[in-house]
Structure formats: structure tokens, C-alpha cells
Amino acid sequence: MLLLQQIVTSSFTLFRIACRAYRPTSAIVLVGLCWVSISAHAQEINPLAGNARAQYAGGVLFRAQCATCHGADATGIESIDAPDLTAMWRERAYSDRQVFDIIRDGIAGTIMPPHDFTETEVWMLVSFLRSVGESGVENLPVADSGLGATLFNNHCAECHRVTNAGGVLGPNLSDVLRRNSLADITASVRQPSALITSGYKAVRVNTNAGENIQGVLKNEDAFSFQIVDTNQQLRAFRKHDAVLTEQRESLMPAFAESELSEQELLAILNYIQSATGATP
Amino acid sequence: MNLRDVTMQSRKANGRARSKVVGLAVSAMLFSASLTQAQDGPDYEDLLAGFADAERWLTYSGDYSGKRHSPLTQITPENVARLRPVWTFQAGTTTRGRGFETTPLVDDGVLYVTGSNNYAWAIDARSGRSFWQYQRNLPNNLTYGASAPVNRGFGMLGNRLFMVTLDAHLLAFDRRSGEVLWDIELADYRIGYAATLAPLVVDDKVIVGISGGEYATRGFIDAYDPETGARLWRFNTIPRPGEPGSETWPDDPEILARGGGGTWMNGSYDPELNLIYWGVGNPNPDYYGDQRPGDNLYSNSLVALDADTGELRWHYQFTPHDLNDWDSNHMPVLAEIEWQGSSRQVVMVGNRNGFFYVLDRVTGELLLGKPFTATTWARELDADGRPIILNDGSQGCLPDPWGSTNFMPPTFYPGLDLFILTARETCATFVPEEPANQPGVANFGGVVYIDGEQGSGALRALDVHTGDLVWEFTYPSPTFGGVMSTASGLVFAGDHEGNFMAFDAQTGENLWHYQTGSRIWGAAAMTFMLDGQQLVLIPSGTTLTAFALEPLN
């Protein structure tokens, strides 16, 4: 492991030297020439990271080669199970190298094929995907995480989970700071029905037997649907046994400023940060 | 509209909901991933009860005994011809050269299913529609896991599911959300380890084994705390220098440390004796034995371990100094049978080496060992229970490395006292070569030439008192499908051509078949009651198919 790190470091140094040497030439040429000096070793870090031209070139390549499945904006196409690539960094905690390998090797057992791109082209794609990847909360203002723990347990834990404590009716919030901006988090607390995370759509179920059940919709076809009910149990129904009504409002109550102040929300987020060891 | 009021009203209307919400809040305040959240799923008493609840199938074999014999009787020899598919579930992930090997678990109308490449799902048993899907983000430098990217199923306790992974981790899930609660490393996959079996939940332990005997690894059986993932004990299948069994190896710690002995198939459990029974795989290198003179314990053995401590109670070695990759990773089948006038607690194994064995499971005493195929390796055992070896593989026409049978589950039919298994008749020549023994590199130690012209398969029913063949149904090619029986007198089995079939348990007559479209490989059927109907499920290719006598929809 140490050896590998030394190789990466030394080749990276070479790269930097080469870049400096060729700085006067055009950026495109620079990218190519720099690459010559580093291609002998497997890179863990994108050698083109932060390079705006590489990002741009990667975007061009992406729209030509990848957008058919993943969409021009890289947010995926649900009907063909092509994943949202803007979300993959936070959802799967991929490294640049892992994304590089997936592009080059494909994913066995799926329709994601291996690709015959040059290494430079793959790194350009990685640069582009980084540039469109969602980012989390940066510089979370410090607040009372002890108060946040109390507030979380009183208001959130019934439905939401942080680490392994809490419910499953709403999304797991362990990664909320890595996934969303502070503005997005605030909006989802103040107006939870404005944007409901996929898999958490509120539904009402009226069964022929007279049962009235609330829950969140997990799956549905023409004949059946599958929910997590407010008892937090998996339940499935056939449509001739029950009527499914989608609710416009989320099961999550809206917290106005008067019910949960900005400072209290920050306290909760500080608690989540400390409970999960999150460093957004 | 104030949604909070609405949800509170609905909860007030339902006392069960209210109490659970309180429970959740309390456990959340304790900041612990406590099992107090998981009162709804099966507890240990339920697992002990096995098939008692007809609507459940809670462990890999349905109960701890490994018989895979369901008490359900709605589907009978008389009506099985009316069996038809109800739904199929498409996994969307495949394993070239292997199978969809899982046994689904079912509780409260929800199936919990693992798939190839460490996919997993919760599926509505009525419609075949999923609640959630999990897919592990696997490294791309898998070792053994890349060659067999399969999985055989979940273990379940309370609201928790347990699954092992191709990068040799053990995961605990919340079964309601598919979220991972904890994730621990069993061993370093980069050396050659992987894991594919269905964890065995016994009381307050999750017991797992490991794959990787084709690499320079040392096998083990581990027990973990279901709540935290902390390891409780480990049994090394290859001893350390000076430990019992090390006298059957060269006096060289390096050779012992890479001695193989994988434990990649499920074990069974006897709650009365508190013993788990587990098969151990081949020594490493597979075909080249010159570096490891001796019997190479506990490779190719059955071990009986104390479930609380992992201590070895007894062992029996089926294939001393194996040169043919005949792992003894089979489901050990526990039963009480009449033996020469008295009742005996036995464990039975149909072995890759071509012999059927019956042992006293209290003492490990060998009661019977008899060939069930045309194996030319040996035809009888001596007075000490050792095989009298006729052919080490160099003369051809042994069972191939896949064996006379393999890990595909057999079934035991009580009353008829039949052990029913998939038999493979194959012919192969082994040519050993000295290997390099490098970590992370497959280390077979030679090559094998399999004569494809001579292969065939069969479903065979053996009289457990004599090992004699009672009936058989022949297949055109060597088959990897497993077997299940039901108390109505039926046997369900799958073949290499993709047929899922039902047989009369007494006569072996084929009563029904359905072409699934892909070979049935490593999997056996499971069955349960749902809405008054008996469902039978079989995985095949990328498809899980549910059958019943009448359509449910």
C-alpha cells in the first residue's frame, strides 16, 4: 500500500513538472502532453481535477456517448434504470478512480458496457461528472448539538433515521448534509410537500374490508401496490381489494419558523453531523 | 391542512401503531441500534419452531435440520399437474456460468431475496413486485468473488436481515427499508476470500462461513453478534502449528496458513445438542498434493461445533488428502431414524466424492458410507471409515472437480426414509502442476480434462439404512439443481436444461414439469402458504418464479 502511494505521488509530481513546462501551449495540448508523463501508472486521483477545459471536453464526450442512457444532464433515465450520475458521488461515496474504472470496465451483469475511451478521455468524463455532481452543506454554522439531539428525537426520529436509530417511514437522514445544500434542507423542513423524495410519496389506502391506511408508496403496477404503512410495516395490496389514493401532502409535517427556528434547525443538523461523523 | 394532525388521528385509531411509535422514540433516545425496534419479525423461538407457521420460511432450509421437507400438503401427487406460474420476478443481474442460487425467506407475505452480484430485494409474495432493491457497490478487483458472484440467501432475526458479500463482508439490514445497519469485514477479499452462503441465525449469533479455498487462504466459521456485528468466536478449519489436526500437515506454518478449507455452504443446527454441523472444503492447492503430505485436516470434513463457543466436538473426514477439489460443502441433513433396531440421531451427507454417509451426530461415529454414483475413486471404506482409494485421478474417469453431487441441497423424506439428491456421473483426468501460491491468485495446482461426452445426471432416492438406490430419474447432462420435498408425497427438483419438476416421492414418477428457460443451478425450491394457497418458488437464470394450483390474480 505504501509502495502504491509512493508511485502515485511520484508520478503526480512528474505530472506537475510537465504541466509547468508546457504551460505556454494551449490547454488541450497541455492535457495531452501531461498525460504522457503519468500514464505509466494507475492513478487514484484524477490528474485533470479542477481543469475547466477537461470538464468542458468531458461534457461534450458525455453528451455524445453517454446521454442516450444517462440523459443529457446526467440525471439518469428511470424507465431504463440508468442511474442519476449527479447523485452517485453522495449516494455511493465513489472515488474518482472507482468512477474511472466503471466507465472503462462497465458493470458486469448490467447493460453498462465497457468503453474503449483513452485514459485521458475517461478522466475528462470523470471531471465532467464531478462538476455536475451534487454537493452537500459547506461550512455548517455551529449550533447546540445537545439541543439538536433532543429536538431530533422529539420531532424527527419517529420517521427518520440517523445512523441506526429512528424510523423508516421517511428517508434516512444520515447523509443529508452530504447530499443537500442548507437551502434545500431548510426548504424541505418548511415545505416538505414541495419536493418529495422518490419512494416516500404519501398515500391513503381504503380497503374493501373498510380499513383506512396511510403510508408511503414503494412500488405500483396495474394490479398491485406496495407501501410502508404508518406502523412502519411493509404491506402490499391488490387493486381489486383496495383503492390507492396519492396524497398531495407529504406525511412529514411542515415546520414553520415559529415551530422550529432557524437556530433549532441548525442545532439538529449539528447533532446529525456529530452523530454521523459527517464532514460535509 | 395539518398533516401532523392527520397522522396522529390515524395513529389514535390504531393502538398497535401508537405503542410502536413510543417504542421507536424511546429506542431512538437511547441512541442505540437496539433490537427493541425489531419486535415484529421472527424471534429465536420462531426460528426453532421451523415449519410450525405454514406462512413462513425463515431459514435457508426452512428449519435447522436441513431436511428441506415442508409439512404442506395442499399440492399433492394427484393435483400437481394443475400447478402453474403465478408471477415471475426478474432480477436483472446474472452470473455467467453459475446460477441464481438463493432461497427466498418469507414472513408476513413479504419475500426477502438475495441475488447475484450482491443484489437483494424485499418482494410482495402476492404480486412479485418489489418494495426495495439493494445493490452493493463492489470493488472491481474481486478475487474468488469474481469467479462465483452468487449468493444463497438472507438470514433473518426480528426486523433484521443478514447477508454476506463477494468482498467478504457481513451486512445487517433493516428489512423494512433495505438499509444497511452495520457492515463488517470477515476477511480480506484481496487475498482470495469471498462469501456466498446464507447466514445461519442461532439464538443471539449470526454464523457464517467463507469462500476462497482456490486461493492461498485459511478457512473459518465465525459467529457474530446480530445487534452490533462484533465477532463472538472463530473456528479455523486449518489448525495452527501444534493445534490438534496439525499433525496431518507438514510442520510449516506457511503451508497451514494457506491450507484452504473453505466453509462456503450453509450448516445445520441441533438445538438439543447445541451443535452446529458444517462442511469444510478442499485443501489448497486443489490438485497438487506434494506440498501438503498428510490427511490435511479439517479439509473435506464435516465438523460438529459447540454453538456457544465454536469449539470442535467431533469431525469426520470424507476425503483425506484431497487431490480432486471435492469440497465437502454440502448441507448436512439431521434426522432421527431407526438404525439396527434402535432410534439414532444421525447426520447425513451426499458427498462430492460419490459416497453417501450416515453418521451418529452425537458422537460422530460412522454408520454407513456407500457410493451413490459410478465413482472410480473408491468403492468401499475400511473398518476405520477411511476410503480404500483405487484411482487418484491420474487414470481418468473419476467424478470431475464439480463432483458426484455438490452444494445443491438434497432432501430427506421422513417415513419413507429416503435421502433424495442430485447425482452427477462425470469423467475427468487430473494433471497436477506445482503452483506459485501467491496471495490473490487462484491456485488450483494443475489442470483437469473433463470428458464432456460421458456426462449425465440423475435425481436419486437412497434408502438411508442401506444406501441402496430406491428410484431414479435420469437427466441428459450433469445437473446442479437442488431438491425439496413436501409431506403430501412430492419431490420438487430442477435440472440443467431448465425444467422445474415434481415427482412422486415413493416411486420417482415424474408428475409435472415446467420449462423455466434457464438451467436451475445451485438452487432448490421453497414453499409456503399465502391466503390459503400453497406457493412454490424456484429461482432460475435471472428469474424467480412462483407457482400455485390456481392463479392468485
Side-chain angles (χ1 to χ4, degrees):
Chain A
M1 214 41 220
L2 184 62
L3 184 64
L4 179 66
Q5 235 155 22
Q6 282 169 341
I7 289 166
V8 171
T9 312
S10 63
S11 61
F12 203 70
T13 309
L14 262 177
F15 160 68
R16 293 177 63 93
I17 291 165
C19 285
R20 229 171 269 135
Y22 287 95
R23 195 173 290 274
T25 58
S26 82
I28 297 290
V29 174
L30 178 148
V31 166
L33 287 173
C34 288
W35 187 250
V36 172
S37 65
I38 60 169
S39 58
H41 302 297
Q43 296 288 309
E44 293 302 315
I45 299 162
N46 183 356
L48 307 179
N51 183 316
R53 291 220 173 222
Q55 273 177 25
Y56 176 80
V60 172
L61 191 58
F62 184 88
R63 283 182 285 279
Q65 300 289 333
C66 316
T68 309
C69 292
H70 291 288
D73 59 358
T75 55
I77 300 176
E78 208 175 335
S79 60
I80 56 169
D81 288 332
D84 178 352
L85 303 182
T86 67
M88 69 177 169
W89 304 102
R90 57 168 169 76
E91 286 184 348
R92 296 186 167 268
Y94 280 134
S95 68
D96 285 355
R97 179 71 206 183
Q98 284 173 307
V99 172
F100 179 101
D101 289 339
I102 290 169
I103 294 170
R104 199 189 49 189
D105 301 336
I107 301 175
T110 76
I111 62 168
M112 174 69 184
H115 290 93
D116 202 16
F117 299 132
T118 66
E119 293 199 13
T120 307
E121 286 170 331
V122 179
W123 283 128
M124 286 172 168
L125 285 167
V126 172
S127 296
F128 165 72
L129 291 170
R130 274 286 181 199
S131 73
V132 297
E134 293 176 13
S135 58
V137 176
E138 288 170 28
N139 305 318
L140 177 68
V142 175
D144 182 351
S145 70
L147 170 67
T150 306
L151 290 168
F152 183 86
N153 287 320
N154 290 345
H155 293 301
C156 318
E158 186 181 310
C159 298
H160 293 284
R161 175 171 294 190
V162 166
T163 64
N164 284 347
V168 297
L169 196 58
N172 188 324
L173 298 181
S174 301
D175 285 333
V176 70
L177 296 166
R178 278 185 286 265
R179 290 167 166 219
N180 305 93
S181 69
L182 189 54
D184 288 342
I185 295 170
T186 307
S188 66
V189 170
R190 303 282 181 236
Q191 296 175 292
S193 301
L195 182 68
I196 298 174
T197 308
S198 170
Y200 295 93
K201 177 93 181 162
V203 291
R204 182 181 297 281
V205 180
N206 292 97
T207 69
N208 296 350
E211 220 182 337
N212 182 353
I213 301 151
Q214 278 194 306
V216 292
L217 187 63
K218 293 295 167 181
N219 207 352
E220 182 187 8
D221 68 6
F223 307 100
S224 73
F225 55 90
Q226 291 73 31
I227 71 166
V228 173
D229 70 11
T230 47
N231 292 342
Q232 311 209 16
Q233 297 298 304
L234 303 184
R235 295 190 68 175
F237 301 87
R238 279 171 285 181
K239 286 189 172 173
H240 63 66
D241 294 333
V243 176
L244 174 72
T245 314
E246 295 196 1
Q247 309 285 292
R248 288 181 56 187
E249 305 275 337
S250 171
L251 283 183
M252 160 128 172
F255 289 89
E257 180 87 40
S258 57
E259 292 172 294
L260 188 74
S261 71
E262 196 63 37
Q263 205 53 37
E264 286 172 325
L265 175 58
L266 288 175
I268 291 173
L269 295 180
N270 272 260
Y271 158 66
I272 292 174
Q273 187 173 47
S274 64
T276 59
T279 47
Chain B
M1 184 166 77
N2 188 329
L3 253 287
R4 194 161 16 182
D5 289 347
V6 172
T7 53
M8 287 314 290
Q9 275 165 17
S10 78
R11 282 184 197 122
K12 278 170 192 162
N14 188 331
R16 185 171 165 229
R18 192 170 175 79
S19 66
K20 188 189 318 281
V21 166
V22 171
L24 276 170
V26 168
S27 63
M29 273 181 231
L30 293 171
F31 299 97
S32 69
S34 165
L35 283 176
T36 54
Q37 284 181 35
Q39 294 304 313
D40 303 299
D43 59 18
Y44 178 50
E45 294 300 316
D46 297 322
L47 300 183
L48 280 171
F51 290 111
D53 185 338
E55 296 191 343
R56 284 173 151 177
W57 183 293
L58 299 176
T59 62
Y60 177 74
S61 300
D63 71 7
Y64 283 135
S65 76
K67 293 185 188 76
R68 205 170 277 260
H69 178 77
S70 163
L72 299 188
T73 55
Q74 186 177 81
I75 302 168
T76 66
E78 290 71 37
N79 66 24
V80 69
R82 291 197 287 116
L83 205 58
R84 69 199 68 179
V86 176
W87 51 255
T88 57
F89 174 79
Q90 291 291 344
T93 180
T94 187
T95 36
R96 261 173 289 178
R98 294 290 298 249
F100 190 1
E101 302 183 3
T102 194
T103 296
L105 305 183
V106 67
D107 180 39
D108 201 19
V110 181
L111 293 158
Y112 299 95
V113 184
T114 68
S116 301
N117 303 302
N118 292 143
Y119 281 55
W121 307 267
I123 298 171
D124 172 21
R126 291 175 176 86
S127 64
R129 298 282 294 170
S130 65
F131 289 95
W132 51 255
Q133 171 177 299
Y134 170 81
Q135 178 190 354
R136 184 163 176 80
N137 182 18
L138 289 163
N140 61 5
N141 58 344
L142 290 174
T143 50
Y144 182 83
S147 67
V150 299
N151 191 278
R152 304 202 184 87
F154 280 122
M156 186 171 2
L157 183 66
N159 266 334
R160 290 189 175 199
L161 301 168
F162 306 95
M163 182 180 92
V164 295
T165 71
L166 300 170
D167 54 343
H169 282 232
L170 171 63
L171 312 181
F173 293 88
D174 186 320
R175 70 176 190 166
R176 302 166 302 175
S177 63
E179 288 177 329
V180 174
L181 300 175
W182 49 256
D183 174 342
I184 57 114
E185 184 187 64
L186 301 172
D188 186 348
Y189 76 87
R190 292 169 299 182
I191 297 170
Y193 288 107
T196 56
L197 49 60
L200 172 69
V201 178
V202 169
D203 198 1
D204 52 356
K205 290 171 286 294
V206 182
I207 298 168
V208 298
I210 197 80
S211 312
E214 275 59 56
Y215 291 75
T217 63
R218 169 188 257 137
F220 54 81
I221 301 166
D222 279 355
Y224 292 90
D225 183 328
E227 200 160 329
T228 64
R231 196 207 291 174
L232 303 173
W233 53 255
R234 166 168 290 187
F235 171 75
N236 284 306
T237 59
I238 308 296
R240 292 193 158 77
E243 289 179 351
S246 61
E247 71 282 359
T248 66
W249 290 86
D251 186 17
D252 183 338
E254 278 185 31
I255 289 176
L256 288 168
R258 56 172 164 79
T263 48
W264 47 267
M265 182 56 193
N266 297 66
S268 47
Y269 173 60
D270 182 333
E272 302 277 315
L273 298 170
N274 197 34
L275 291 179
I276 63 165
Y277 300 88
W278 215 282
V280 182
N282 61 278
N284 183 268
D286 297 47
Y287 312 136
Y288 187 78
D290 290 4
Q291 294 170 343
R292 49 174 176 84
D295 282 354
N296 307 142
L297 288 174
Y298 297 93
S299 69
N300 300 61
S301 300
L302 180 68
V303 294
L305 306 181
D306 183 303
D308 288 333
T309 63
E311 282 168 30
L312 180 70
R313 189 67 60 83
W314 58 259
H315 75 277
Y316 176 78
Q317 189 175 41
F318 303 102
T319 310
H321 191 69
D322 172 35
L323 298 171
N324 308 108
D325 191 17
W326 291 336
D327 303 62
S328 287
N329 303 94
H330 314 87
M331 177 52 85
V333 179
L334 312 185
E336 180 176 350
I337 62 171
E338 287 294 310
W339 192 262
Q340 295 171 354
S342 61
S343 179
R344 291 291 275 268
Q345 302 291 330
V346 301
V347 52
M348 295 174 283
V349 171
N351 198 278
R352 210 150 140 172
N353 68 17
F355 277 66
F356 168 67
Y357 298 89
V358 181
L359 296 106
D360 182 308
R361 75 168 180 268
V362 183
T363 62
E365 178 196 351
L366 179 73
L367 303 178
L368 177 73
K370 187 171 176 178
F372 63 91
T373 65
T375 175
T376 61
W377 167 68
R379 299 303 303 167
E380 56 185 326
L381 309 179
D382 71 14
D384 297 326
R386 286 182 72 88
I388 301 168
I389 293 172
L390 306 171
N391 177 359
D392 63 4
S394 59
Q395 299 153 60
C397 254
L398 289 170
D400 68 17
W402 298 100
S404 285
T405 188
N406 207 300
F407 68 94
M408 53 285 207
T411 188
F412 173 72
Y413 201 113
L416 298 179
D417 285 4
L418 295 178
F419 188 92
I420 305 164
L421 81 172
T422 302
R424 304 173 77 256
E425 297 289 1
T426 58
C427 204
T429 305
F430 292 74
V431 181
E433 288 167 7
E434 186 168 358
N437 303 320
Q438 289 171 344
V441 178
N443 205 32
F444 284 91
V447 289
V448 181
Y449 299 95
I450 297 175
D451 183 350
E453 296 296 307
Q454 296 199 40
S456 68
L459 182 66
R460 289 192 178 145
L462 311 177
D463 181 334
V464 299
H465 305 104
T466 60
D468 290 341
L469 182 68
V470 176
W471 56 255
E472 72 170 338
F473 182 87
T474 55
Y475 304 134
S477 59
T479 287
F480 253 84
V483 194
M484 175 188 75
S485 57
T486 63
S488 57
L490 284 174
V491 175
F492 290 90
D495 74 10
H496 207 64
E497 282 67 46
N499 281 306
F500 182 50
M501 298 157 287
F503 300 88
D504 185 310
Q506 291 196 46
T507 65
E509 182 192 353
N510 177 249
L511 302 172
W512 172 85
H513 69 96
Y514 174 84
Q515 174 54 251
T516 64
S518 183
R519 61 196 189 185
I520 295 166
W521 211 102
M526 55 85 73
T527 186
F528 58 99
M529 296 299 290
L530 186 66
D531 305 330
Q533 286 218 285
Q534 184 183 353
L535 265 65
V536 179
L537 268 61
I538 189 76
S540 159
T542 61
T543 308
L544 178 66
T545 307
F547 298 88
L549 288 177
E550 301 291 339
L552 289 179
N553 289 312

